[in-house]
Amino acid sequence: MDMDVLATELAISRATLYRAAGSRDTLLGEVFWAIGRLLIEEASGEVTATGPDRVIGISRQFAELVDSAQQLRAFIAEEPQTAARVLFTTAGDVNSRAVDAQLAIFVESGIEGEAGDLRRRAFVYVRTLESVLYGPLLGSGPIAFESAEPALRALLTP
């Protein structure tokens, strides 16, 4: 995404775009999160299980949806350093939002635990799921969801 081109297409100055959006990373984070939120909602709507099976089902469905998001995959392939910075650091705020969303899925699915413990488990769960979703970006190569499922499932019990 070229900020100059975007400013031109929006018929605003580059300065106005940066004032409104912050940085390119911030704007990309907003885009990634908007996509992620929609995919989470779609995945949640397709899973009818309860408890840990619901959490795993949503994660599996979400992973499949991300894998089929060709524009997202193309961006990650073309700009891996930017994608890593936006997805995994505070630059794009995607990770913290993903942890919040995962925590909500835990609670809605009946996963029990003290609030701080649930948040820590949600953080580790998201980081583990990221290894499935973005293995090549993290330098680990593709990881099948089935390989990560035992670790993910272990995080769902106190």
Side-chain angles (χ1 to χ4, degrees):
M1 175 174 24
D2 185 314
M3 296 294 271
D4 290 329
V5 171
L6 183 58
T8 301
E9 288 183 12
L10 294 173
I12 60 175
S13 72
R14 189 169 180 240
T16 300
L17 176 61
Y18 276 97
R19 255 193 319 276
S23 68
R24 180 173 184 256
D25 285 357
T26 301
L27 183 57
L28 286 169
E30 290 296 327
V31 171
F32 282 162
W33 180 243
I35 293 167
R37 189 181 67 245
L38 291 172
L39 297 181
I40 289 168
E41 289 172 8
E42 184 175 339
S44 296
E46 294 182 17
V47 176
T48 58
T50 59
D53 290 337
R54 179 176 185 270
V55 176
I56 295 295
I58 291 170
S59 299
R60 179 181 287 111
Q61 188 64 34
F62 179 77
E64 290 173 10
L65 291 168
V66 167
D67 193 47
S68 67
Q70 295 305 315
Q71 292 171 326
L72 177 62
R73 291 307 216 189
F75 176 78
I76 289 170
E78 292 169 13
E79 293 195 47
Q81 291 178 335
T82 301
R85 189 173 56 249
V86 171
L87 290 168
F88 308 132
T89 72
T90 58
D93 199 31
V94 175
N95 181 264
S96 66
R97 291 174 179 183
V99 171
D100 291 343
Q102 190 61 57
L103 180 59
I105 291 168
F106 280 6
V107 171
E108 292 163 4
S109 299
I111 305 302
E112 296 180 355
E114 181 266 321
D117 177 57
L118 272 181
R119 176 164 284 289
R120 284 186 293 279
R121 287 166 38 197
F123 176 83
V124 174
Y125 191 98
V126 166
R127 286 297 192 199
T128 305
L129 189 55
E130 286 171 343
S131 70
V132 171
L133 300 172
Y134 311 113
L137 190 57
L138 295 167
S140 62
I143 299 173
F145 186 88
E146 294 73 27
S147 298
E149 186 175 341
L152 294 171
R153 200 170 279 281
L155 291 165
L156 302 176
T157 56

